[in-house]
Each structure stands twice: as C-alpha cells, then as structure tokens.
Amino acid sequence: MSTEGLSIGISVGGPGAGAADRAHRGSRRAALARRVVWAPLAIDATAILIAVLDVWLVIPEKAPPYSIYLSGLACLALAGRRWMPFGVVLLTVPGFLTGWSQLAAMIALGMLATRKQTHWQVWVGAALVWMCRFVQWPLSDFAQLSWREHVLDGIYGVLVAGMPIAIGLLIGARAQLSQKLGELAASRDRERKLTADAVRAEERARLAREMHDVVSHDITLIAMQAGVLTAQESPSARQTAEVIRQLSTRTLEELRSLVGVLRSGLVDEGPQPGIAELGRLVHNSAVAVRLTMDEVPEEVPPKVSAAAYRTVQEALTNVRKHAPGATATVLVRGEDGALSVEVCNERPPCEAVAELPSGGYGLTGLAERARLLGGSLETCSTEDGGFRVLARYPLAV
C-alpha cells in the first residue's frame, strides 16, 4: 500500500451482476420452453390443414356422405399422431379406402416410422396404406380393372407407402445420430475434465513439494533463530524475538495446512480465519489500528468472513511495508445485504527505510476473491497522502 503516488483501481462485477446474468439465462430458458411448446402445435395444425385441403380439392360433387365423414375423421385424427401414431394410422385407413384422405394416411405413416423405426407396427401400417392405394372402392369397380391397372396401382401403392417410411427412417436416423454425437461430446468433455484434473493434481503436488521443501524450511530456520534470540539479556530484543517466533510459528502452521490441502486435491480450503479473529489480527499487526465493527450480522457465510479477514490482513501488511509508522482505521459494516470492509491509513511520518519485495499480487488476489464471491474491490490514494482499500462482499453466496 504505497503512498508514493501509487493509485490502483480494481473494480469487478457487483452483487447485481450475478443476478442480472441469472435473470438473462432464465428469460432465455423461458423463451426456449415457449418455442418447444408452440413449434409442435404449429406443425400439427399445418399438417391437418394440408390434409383437409387434399380432401377438399379432390372430392367429387356427388360423393357418398360416409366417405366425406371418414375422410374428415382421418384428417382430424392427425392431431393425436404424436401420442398414438399406430392408432392414428388405423383411423386414417377407412377414410383412405372409401374416401380421399390419402395424404392424411401418408402423414400418419411417416410419424409412425419416425417414432417406431423398424417396429412391426410400421410394416403393418405400410401394408394397410398400400392396400388402400391398391384397392379401389367400391369393390365392384375394383373387380372391373384390367391387370395393367392392377400393376400400376400396386406400384403407386409402393410409392405411397414407401415414401413416408423412407422419410421417417431418415428423420429417426438423424435424431439417433444427434443423440450419439451428444453422447460423444459429453464423453469427450468428461475425458478432457479428467485430463485437466490429473494435470491440476500433478501441479498441486509439485507446488506442495516446493512449498514444503523451500518455504517451510526457511520459516522453520527463522523460528529457530528467533528462539535463540529470546535468551538475550535485552528486554526489547527478547520481545522482538518472541514476536518473530510467534509469527513464524503461526505462518508455518498455515503453510502446513495449505500443503495438506494442495496434496489432498480438495476444492474446500479447510477452516479459514474469519471476522471473529480480526481483533487478534489487529492486536498482532504491529500497526496503530482503530477497529470498528458496525451492524455486522451474527451469521456471515464462511467464505465472506474469510475474505473480510484476508482483506484486512493484506491491507495491514501493506501498511507495514509501504507506510511504516502510519495510523490505520478498519471499518467492517453490514449494509444492504452486503459486508463492506474499509481499511484506510494516513500519510506515513517518514519514508520507508528499506524497500521490501512486493509484486502487487496481494491486491490482485483480493480482487479475484471478490469477483468469485460476486463482490467488488476498490483501491485508491487519499487526499492526505494515505491509501484506502474498500471491499464489498454480498452476504447471499
């Protein structure tokens, strides 16, 4: 948290961003559901209309009333072709045999072939449709036809019954192919996920080894050296050494816990310090801090509580590094369904004696943590030369 003209602004989507995305996805799903409901109804209505026109355009003026009724029944029966495809084929047979509902029978047979593919009902329906096209009503007229006319009617019957089956089989094969492609894509995604998990597990194990072999070793040496310094006669030296030893021990415990999480590969980061430990954090921070807790809810989600703790911890660490001797204020407040954490420090009384290593990853990590929780993080310099960190975390996570 440098006060030497440093100004960093980090802002991510606020709590309303996730709600807006969920509302947008919900509206898209609703629109898709409406389209799924209305599309079949529109197709069925179109099929019935075409079948009615087919009958109306070819029916003669002196047609028997029963043939008109049976043809109309065949057209209306198409409304149930999605639920009872074989029964609808049977209902269209009388109208096709004695009337003019040929197209209605073909549409019903096509739906039967689409749903049943090579089931025995398809071949029975095809035989009935072929028979209706081959046999002419009344039977007396059929008996007077020549053998040439019988052969032509048989050929036309094959075409009338075969074309709907061919189209139905093609549609069914396409649906099966789409299903297989979907299963293949899902299997490929699972394989990709397993590969990514394996790579991630290997990387986590490598990080755990490096942290244990390098960082843990160095912190252990620091703690041991601090323990030796506690034997000095100077009270200030003993006190400083004791503080170093306590910090090193606590850091080593957290590091070992993190190494265990990395090796286990679990998503859960384990127990994390929260806002209940802010008092102890402020007391051990070696910074003059004034802590204020205002209207903080009794029940705070663990992730939000841990994020608030880490925000204060990182901010106070930056005060020690970049503004030694400065006074800081910490304000934790619950407002509008969110938890806000504000850390401000005044201008340091003197410049830092030595520049400590800093890569700026602390604030970046806080911003990423806020983004994952649907919150925001803002940092900026103050008018009096200090620095301000403001984080907001939604309580509904």
Side-chain angles (χ1 to χ4, degrees), residues 294-322:
D294 186 15
E295 297 182 1
V296 177
E298 295 182 0
E299 296 293 334
V300 178
K303 292 184 178 180
V304 174
S305 182
Y309 180 91
R310 296 304 183 189
T311 301
V312 176
Q313 184 184 47
E314 177 63 24
L316 295 181
T317 299
N318 288 338
V319 172
R320 290 197 304 269
K321 290 169 58 177
H322 305 294

PDB file of all heavy atoms in Angstrom, residues 294-322:
ATOM      1  N   ASP A 294     -19.527  -2.377  12.723  1.00  0.00           N
ATOM      2  CA  ASP A 294     -20.800  -1.666  12.726  1.00  0.00           C
ATOM      3  C   ASP A 294     -21.868  -2.525  12.048  1.00  0.00           C
ATOM      4  O   ASP A 294     -21.773  -2.816  10.838  1.00  0.00           O
ATOM      5  CB  ASP A 294     -20.656  -0.328  12.003  1.00  0.00           C
ATOM      6  CG  ASP A 294     -21.917   0.517  12.091  1.00  0.00           C
ATOM      7  OD1 ASP A 294     -22.782   0.196  12.931  1.00  0.00           O
ATOM      8  OD2 ASP A 294     -22.033   1.487  11.316  1.00  0.00           O
ATOM      9  N   GLU A 295     -22.874  -2.933  12.808  1.00  0.00           N
ATOM     10  CA  GLU A 295     -24.033  -3.670  12.290  1.00  0.00           C
ATOM     11  C   GLU A 295     -23.617  -4.917  11.506  1.00  0.00           C
ATOM     12  O   GLU A 295     -24.174  -5.229  10.448  1.00  0.00           O
ATOM     13  CB  GLU A 295     -24.901  -2.775  11.412  1.00  0.00           C
ATOM     14  CG  GLU A 295     -25.509  -1.590  12.157  1.00  0.00           C
ATOM     15  CD  GLU A 295     -26.408  -0.747  11.269  1.00  0.00           C
ATOM     16  OE1 GLU A 295     -26.568  -1.110  10.086  1.00  0.00           O
ATOM     17  OE2 GLU A 295     -26.934   0.256  11.749  1.00  0.00           O
ATOM     18  N   VAL A 296     -22.642  -5.619  11.996  1.00  0.00           N
ATOM     19  CA  VAL A 296     -22.209  -6.862  11.345  1.00  0.00           C
ATOM     20  C   VAL A 296     -23.184  -7.975  11.714  1.00  0.00           C
ATOM     21  O   VAL A 296     -23.470  -8.175  12.897  1.00  0.00           O
ATOM     22  CB  VAL A 296     -20.782  -7.231  11.784  1.00  0.00           C
ATOM     23  CG1 VAL A 296     -20.359  -8.555  11.158  1.00  0.00           C
ATOM     24  CG2 VAL A 296     -19.813  -6.129  11.396  1.00  0.00           C
ATOM     25  N   PRO A 297     -23.745  -8.690  10.735  1.00  0.00           N
ATOM     26  CA  PRO A 297     -24.701  -9.764  11.055  1.00  0.00           C
ATOM     27  C   PRO A 297     -24.057 -10.850  11.912  1.00  0.00           C
ATOM     28  O   PRO A 297     -22.843 -11.081  11.861  1.00  0.00           O
ATOM     29  CB  PRO A 297     -25.097 -10.311   9.677  1.00  0.00           C
ATOM     30  CG  PRO A 297     -24.745  -9.225   8.707  1.00  0.00           C
ATOM     31  CD  PRO A 297     -23.558  -8.520   9.294  1.00  0.00           C
ATOM     32  N   GLU A 298     -24.896 -11.490  12.691  1.00  0.00           N
ATOM     33  CA  GLU A 298     -24.382 -12.575  13.528  1.00  0.00           C
ATOM     34  C   GLU A 298     -23.942 -13.769  12.687  1.00  0.00           C
ATOM     35  O   GLU A 298     -22.963 -14.440  13.013  1.00  0.00           O
ATOM     36  CB  GLU A 298     -25.471 -13.016  14.525  1.00  0.00           C
ATOM     37  CG  GLU A 298     -25.846 -11.944  15.547  1.00  0.00           C
ATOM     38  CD  GLU A 298     -26.886 -12.447  16.520  1.00  0.00           C
ATOM     39  OE1 GLU A 298     -27.293 -13.630  16.379  1.00  0.00           O
ATOM     40  OE2 GLU A 298     -27.286 -11.682  17.420  1.00  0.00           O
ATOM     41  N   GLU A 299     -24.689 -14.048  11.614  1.00  0.00           N
ATOM     42  CA  GLU A 299     -24.357 -15.171  10.742  1.00  0.00           C
ATOM     43  C   GLU A 299     -23.786 -14.626   9.428  1.00  0.00           C
ATOM     44  O   GLU A 299     -24.499 -14.022   8.629  1.00  0.00           O
ATOM     45  CB  GLU A 299     -25.591 -16.033  10.469  1.00  0.00           C
ATOM     46  CG  GLU A 299     -26.160 -16.711  11.703  1.00  0.00           C
ATOM     47  CD  GLU A 299     -25.208 -17.759  12.263  1.00  0.00           C
ATOM     48  OE1 GLU A 299     -24.393 -18.289  11.475  1.00  0.00           O
ATOM     49  OE2 GLU A 299     -25.274 -18.026  13.469  1.00  0.00           O
ATOM     50  N   VAL A 300     -22.504 -14.828   9.227  1.00  0.00           N
ATOM     51  CA  VAL A 300     -21.832 -14.415   7.997  1.00  0.00           C
ATOM     52  C   VAL A 300     -21.323 -15.668   7.298  1.00  0.00           C
ATOM     53  O   VAL A 300     -20.714 -16.539   7.943  1.00  0.00           O
ATOM     54  CB  VAL A 300     -20.660 -13.455   8.292  1.00  0.00           C
ATOM     55  CG1 VAL A 300     -19.939 -13.073   7.009  1.00  0.00           C
ATOM     56  CG2 VAL A 300     -21.170 -12.210   9.006  1.00  0.00           C
ATOM     57  N   PRO A 301     -21.592 -15.821   6.006  1.00  0.00           N
ATOM     58  CA  PRO A 301     -21.090 -17.003   5.299  1.00  0.00           C
ATOM     59  C   PRO A 301     -19.589 -17.170   5.494  1.00  0.00           C
ATOM     60  O   PRO A 301     -18.840 -16.181   5.519  1.00  0.00           O
ATOM     61  CB  PRO A 301     -21.444 -16.705   3.824  1.00  0.00           C
ATOM     62  CG  PRO A 301     -22.601 -15.776   3.901  1.00  0.00           C
ATOM     63  CD  PRO A 301     -22.376 -14.945   5.125  1.00  0.00           C
ATOM     64  N   PRO A 302     -19.128 -18.404   5.661  1.00  0.00           N
ATOM     65  CA  PRO A 302     -17.693 -18.627   5.921  1.00  0.00           C
ATOM     66  C   PRO A 302     -16.779 -18.022   4.857  1.00  0.00           C
ATOM     67  O   PRO A 302     -15.727 -17.460   5.195  1.00  0.00           O
ATOM     68  CB  PRO A 302     -17.579 -20.160   5.954  1.00  0.00           C
ATOM     69  CG  PRO A 302     -18.952 -20.642   6.306  1.00  0.00           C
ATOM     70  CD  PRO A 302     -19.900 -19.662   5.694  1.00  0.00           C
ATOM     71  N   LYS A 303     -17.167 -18.116   3.592  1.00  0.00           N
ATOM     72  CA  LYS A 303     -16.311 -17.575   2.538  1.00  0.00           C
ATOM     73  C   LYS A 303     -16.227 -16.059   2.628  1.00  0.00           C
ATOM     74  O   LYS A 303     -15.157 -15.474   2.401  1.00  0.00           O
ATOM     75  CB  LYS A 303     -16.839 -18.004   1.173  1.00  0.00           C
ATOM     76  CG  LYS A 303     -16.715 -19.492   0.902  1.00  0.00           C
ATOM     77  CD  LYS A 303     -17.172 -19.832  -0.501  1.00  0.00           C
ATOM     78  CE  LYS A 303     -17.008 -21.321  -0.783  1.00  0.00           C
ATOM     79  NZ  LYS A 303     -17.449 -21.677  -2.158  1.00  0.00           N
ATOM     80  N   VAL A 304     -17.341 -15.405   2.942  1.00  0.00           N
ATOM     81  CA  VAL A 304     -17.339 -13.949   3.080  1.00  0.00           C
ATOM     82  C   VAL A 304     -16.521 -13.545   4.304  1.00  0.00           C
ATOM     83  O   VAL A 304     -15.748 -12.583   4.271  1.00  0.00           O
ATOM     84  CB  VAL A 304     -18.777 -13.418   3.178  1.00  0.00           C
ATOM     85  CG1 VAL A 304     -18.790 -11.918   3.459  1.00  0.00           C
ATOM     86  CG2 VAL A 304     -19.545 -13.715   1.895  1.00  0.00           C
ATOM     87  N   SER A 305     -16.690 -14.286   5.402  1.00  0.00           N
ATOM     88  CA  SER A 305     -15.933 -13.985   6.607  1.00  0.00           C
ATOM     89  C   SER A 305     -14.433 -14.130   6.370  1.00  0.00           C
ATOM     90  O   SER A 305     -13.635 -13.279   6.800  1.00  0.00           O
ATOM     91  CB  SER A 305     -16.385 -14.913   7.743  1.00  0.00           C
ATOM     92  OG  SER A 305     -15.707 -14.627   8.947  1.00  0.00           O
ATOM     93  N   ALA A 306     -14.030 -15.204   5.679  1.00  0.00           N
ATOM     94  CA  ALA A 306     -12.612 -15.402   5.379  1.00  0.00           C
ATOM     95  C   ALA A 306     -12.096 -14.311   4.439  1.00  0.00           C
ATOM     96  O   ALA A 306     -10.959 -13.831   4.597  1.00  0.00           O
ATOM     97  CB  ALA A 306     -12.402 -16.774   4.753  1.00  0.00           C
ATOM     98  N   ALA A 307     -12.920 -13.898   3.459  1.00  0.00           N
ATOM     99  CA  ALA A 307     -12.499 -12.841   2.543  1.00  0.00           C
ATOM    100  C   ALA A 307     -12.300 -11.522   3.280  1.00  0.00           C
ATOM    101  O   ALA A 307     -11.351 -10.780   3.006  1.00  0.00           O
ATOM    102  CB  ALA A 307     -13.533 -12.682   1.429  1.00  0.00           C
ATOM    103  N   ALA A 308     -13.195 -11.213   4.217  1.00  0.00           N
ATOM    104  CA  ALA A 308     -13.039  -9.984   5.009  1.00  0.00           C
ATOM    105  C   ALA A 308     -11.747 -10.036   5.827  1.00  0.00           C
ATOM    106  O   ALA A 308     -11.006  -9.038   5.908  1.00  0.00           O
ATOM    107  CB  ALA A 308     -14.250  -9.797   5.917  1.00  0.00           C
ATOM    108  N   TYR A 309     -11.456 -11.172   6.430  1.00  0.00           N
ATOM    109  CA  TYR A 309     -10.231 -11.318   7.218  1.00  0.00           C
ATOM    110  C   TYR A 309      -8.999 -11.124   6.341  1.00  0.00           C
ATOM    111  O   TYR A 309      -8.060 -10.400   6.716  1.00  0.00           O
ATOM    112  CB  TYR A 309     -10.214 -12.694   7.877  1.00  0.00           C
ATOM    113  CG  TYR A 309      -8.987 -12.957   8.719  1.00  0.00           C
ATOM    114  CD1 TYR A 309      -8.977 -12.638  10.075  1.00  0.00           C
ATOM    115  CD2 TYR A 309      -7.840 -13.512   8.168  1.00  0.00           C
ATOM    116  CE1 TYR A 309      -7.849 -12.868  10.860  1.00  0.00           C
ATOM    117  CE2 TYR A 309      -6.718 -13.748   8.934  1.00  0.00           C
ATOM    118  CZ  TYR A 309      -6.726 -13.425  10.280  1.00  0.00           C
ATOM    119  OH  TYR A 309      -5.606 -13.656  11.038  1.00  0.00           O
ATOM    120  N   ARG A 310      -8.982 -11.773   5.179  1.00  0.00           N
ATOM    121  CA  ARG A 310      -7.831 -11.656   4.294  1.00  0.00           C
ATOM    122  C   ARG A 310      -7.670 -10.234   3.769  1.00  0.00           C
ATOM    123  O   ARG A 310      -6.539  -9.776   3.537  1.00  0.00           O
ATOM    124  CB  ARG A 310      -7.966 -12.638   3.127  1.00  0.00           C
ATOM    125  CG  ARG A 310      -7.950 -14.105   3.530  1.00  0.00           C
ATOM    126  CD  ARG A 310      -6.716 -14.464   4.309  1.00  0.00           C
ATOM    127  NE  ARG A 310      -6.664 -15.891   4.636  1.00  0.00           N
ATOM    128  CZ  ARG A 310      -5.777 -16.438   5.457  1.00  0.00           C
ATOM    129  NH1 ARG A 310      -4.862 -15.670   6.035  1.00  0.00           N
ATOM    130  NH2 ARG A 310      -5.805 -17.725   5.726  1.00  0.00           N
ATOM    131  N   THR A 311      -8.762  -9.518   3.569  1.00  0.00           N
ATOM    132  CA  THR A 311      -8.674  -8.134   3.107  1.00  0.00           C
ATOM    133  C   THR A 311      -7.974  -7.270   4.145  1.00  0.00           C
ATOM    134  O   THR A 311      -7.060  -6.492   3.826  1.00  0.00           O
ATOM    135  CB  THR A 311     -10.078  -7.585   2.822  1.00  0.00           C
ATOM    136  OG1 THR A 311     -10.712  -8.395   1.821  1.00  0.00           O
ATOM    137  CG2 THR A 311     -10.009  -6.147   2.336  1.00  0.00           C
ATOM    138  N   VAL A 312      -8.394  -7.386   5.409  1.00  0.00           N
ATOM    139  CA  VAL A 312      -7.761  -6.611   6.475  1.00  0.00           C
ATOM    140  C   VAL A 312      -6.313  -7.035   6.641  1.00  0.00           C
ATOM    141  O   VAL A 312      -5.411  -6.194   6.824  1.00  0.00           O
ATOM    142  CB  VAL A 312      -8.546  -6.779   7.789  1.00  0.00           C
ATOM    143  CG1 VAL A 312      -7.851  -6.054   8.928  1.00  0.00           C
ATOM    144  CG2 VAL A 312      -9.975  -6.264   7.622  1.00  0.00           C
ATOM    145  N   GLN A 313      -6.045  -8.323   6.573  1.00  0.00           N
ATOM    146  CA  GLN A 313      -4.681  -8.815   6.736  1.00  0.00           C
ATOM    147  C   GLN A 313      -3.756  -8.265   5.663  1.00  0.00           C
ATOM    148  O   GLN A 313      -2.654  -7.782   5.958  1.00  0.00           O
ATOM    149  CB  GLN A 313      -4.689 -10.345   6.692  1.00  0.00           C
ATOM    150  CG  GLN A 313      -3.334 -10.988   6.940  1.00  0.00           C
ATOM    151  CD  GLN A 313      -3.397 -12.500   6.789  1.00  0.00           C
ATOM    152  OE1 GLN A 313      -3.954 -13.008   5.818  1.00  0.00           O
ATOM    153  NE2 GLN A 313      -2.843 -13.215   7.765  1.00  0.00           N
ATOM    154  N   GLU A 314      -4.193  -8.314   4.403  1.00  0.00           N
ATOM    155  CA  GLU A 314      -3.363  -7.817   3.313  1.00  0.00           C
ATOM    156  C   GLU A 314      -3.170  -6.309   3.408  1.00  0.00           C
ATOM    157  O   GLU A 314      -2.065  -5.791   3.180  1.00  0.00           O
ATOM    158  CB  GLU A 314      -3.997  -8.187   1.970  1.00  0.00           C
ATOM    159  CG  GLU A 314      -3.265  -7.662   0.748  1.00  0.00           C
ATOM    160  CD  GLU A 314      -1.856  -8.233   0.625  1.00  0.00           C
ATOM    161  OE1 GLU A 314      -1.610  -9.322   1.177  1.00  0.00           O
ATOM    162  OE2 GLU A 314      -1.015  -7.576  -0.016  1.00  0.00           O
ATOM    163  N   ALA A 315      -4.227  -5.587   3.771  1.00  0.00           N
ATOM    164  CA  ALA A 315      -4.125  -4.129   3.875  1.00  0.00           C
ATOM    165  C   ALA A 315      -3.150  -3.720   4.977  1.00  0.00           C
ATOM    166  O   ALA A 315      -2.313  -2.821   4.793  1.00  0.00           O
ATOM    167  CB  ALA A 315      -5.503  -3.525   4.121  1.00  0.00           C
ATOM    168  N   LEU A 316      -3.228  -4.366   6.140  1.00  0.00           N
ATOM    169  CA  LEU A 316      -2.318  -4.030   7.225  1.00  0.00           C
ATOM    170  C   LEU A 316      -0.879  -4.442   6.906  1.00  0.00           C
ATOM    171  O   LEU A 316       0.077  -3.768   7.318  1.00  0.00           O
ATOM    172  CB  LEU A 316      -2.781  -4.706   8.522  1.00  0.00           C
ATOM    173  CG  LEU A 316      -4.132  -4.232   9.067  1.00  0.00           C
ATOM    174  CD1 LEU A 316      -4.469  -4.953  10.369  1.00  0.00           C
ATOM    175  CD2 LEU A 316      -4.137  -2.724   9.273  1.00  0.00           C
ATOM    176  N   THR A 317      -0.715  -5.523   6.182  1.00  0.00           N
ATOM    177  CA  THR A 317       0.630  -5.916   5.742  1.00  0.00           C
ATOM    178  C   THR A 317       1.224  -4.849   4.838  1.00  0.00           C
ATOM    179  O   THR A 317       2.404  -4.492   4.954  1.00  0.00           O
ATOM    180  CB  THR A 317       0.584  -7.269   5.013  1.00  0.00           C
ATOM    181  OG1 THR A 317       0.090  -8.265   5.909  1.00  0.00           O
ATOM    182  CG2 THR A 317       1.964  -7.670   4.534  1.00  0.00           C
ATOM    183  N   ASN A 318       0.422  -4.300   3.942  1.00  0.00           N
ATOM    184  CA  ASN A 318       0.900  -3.247   3.051  1.00  0.00           C
ATOM    185  C   ASN A 318       1.216  -1.965   3.819  1.00  0.00           C
ATOM    186  O   ASN A 318       2.124  -1.216   3.452  1.00  0.00           O
ATOM    187  CB  ASN A 318      -0.138  -2.968   1.969  1.00  0.00           C
ATOM    188  CG  ASN A 318      -0.213  -4.081   0.943  1.00  0.00           C
ATOM    189  OD1 ASN A 318       0.739  -4.844   0.797  1.00  0.00           O
ATOM    190  ND2 ASN A 318      -1.319  -4.173   0.236  1.00  0.00           N
ATOM    191  N   VAL A 319       0.453  -1.699   4.885  1.00  0.00           N
ATOM    192  CA  VAL A 319       0.767  -0.527   5.711  1.00  0.00           C
ATOM    193  C   VAL A 319       2.149  -0.691   6.353  1.00  0.00           C
ATOM    194  O   VAL A 319       2.957   0.247   6.373  1.00  0.00           O
ATOM    195  CB  VAL A 319      -0.325  -0.323   6.786  1.00  0.00           C
ATOM    196  CG1 VAL A 319       0.097   0.772   7.767  1.00  0.00           C
ATOM    197  CG2 VAL A 319      -1.646   0.041   6.132  1.00  0.00           C
ATOM    198  N   ARG A 320       2.421  -1.872   6.887  1.00  0.00           N
ATOM    199  CA  ARG A 320       3.733  -2.107   7.498  1.00  0.00           C
ATOM    200  C   ARG A 320       4.857  -1.992   6.481  1.00  0.00           C
ATOM    201  O   ARG A 320       5.935  -1.477   6.788  1.00  0.00           O
ATOM    202  CB  ARG A 320       3.777  -3.493   8.146  1.00  0.00           C
ATOM    203  CG  ARG A 320       2.933  -3.635   9.395  1.00  0.00           C
ATOM    204  CD  ARG A 320       3.343  -4.862  10.189  1.00  0.00           C
ATOM    205  NE  ARG A 320       3.286  -6.075   9.404  1.00  0.00           N
ATOM    206  CZ  ARG A 320       2.228  -6.868   9.319  1.00  0.00           C
ATOM    207  NH1 ARG A 320       1.111  -6.555   9.978  1.00  0.00           N
ATOM    208  NH2 ARG A 320       2.255  -7.965   8.586  1.00  0.00           N
ATOM    209  N   LYS A 321       4.604  -2.462   5.261  1.00  0.00           N
ATOM    210  CA  LYS A 321       5.656  -2.480   4.260  1.00  0.00           C
ATOM    211  C   LYS A 321       5.889  -1.114   3.629  1.00  0.00           C
ATOM    212  O   LYS A 321       7.041  -0.687   3.452  1.00  0.00           O
ATOM    213  CB  LYS A 321       5.308  -3.497   3.161  1.00  0.00           C
ATOM    214  CG  LYS A 321       5.385  -4.938   3.615  1.00  0.00           C
ATOM    215  CD  LYS A 321       4.771  -5.884   2.596  1.00  0.00           C
ATOM    216  CE  LYS A 321       5.434  -5.770   1.248  1.00  0.00           C
ATOM    217  NZ  LYS A 321       4.880  -6.737   0.283  1.00  0.00           N
ATOM    218  N   HIS A 322       4.819  -0.421   3.263  1.00  0.00           N
ATOM    219  CA  HIS A 322       4.943   0.790   2.453  1.00  0.00           C
ATOM    220  C   HIS A 322       4.666   2.083   3.213  1.00  0.00           C
ATOM    221  O   HIS A 322       4.971   3.161   2.695  1.00  0.00           O
ATOM    222  CB  HIS A 322       3.989   0.707   1.260  1.00  0.00           C
ATOM    223  CG  HIS A 322       4.183  -0.521   0.425  1.00  0.00           C
ATOM    224  ND1 HIS A 322       5.328  -0.759  -0.302  1.00  0.00           N
ATOM    225  CD2 HIS A 322       3.376  -1.594   0.213  1.00  0.00           C
ATOM    226  CE1 HIS A 322       5.226  -1.905  -0.943  1.00  0.00           C
ATOM    227  NE2 HIS A 322       4.045  -2.447  -0.643  1.00  0.00           N
TER     228      HIS A 322
END
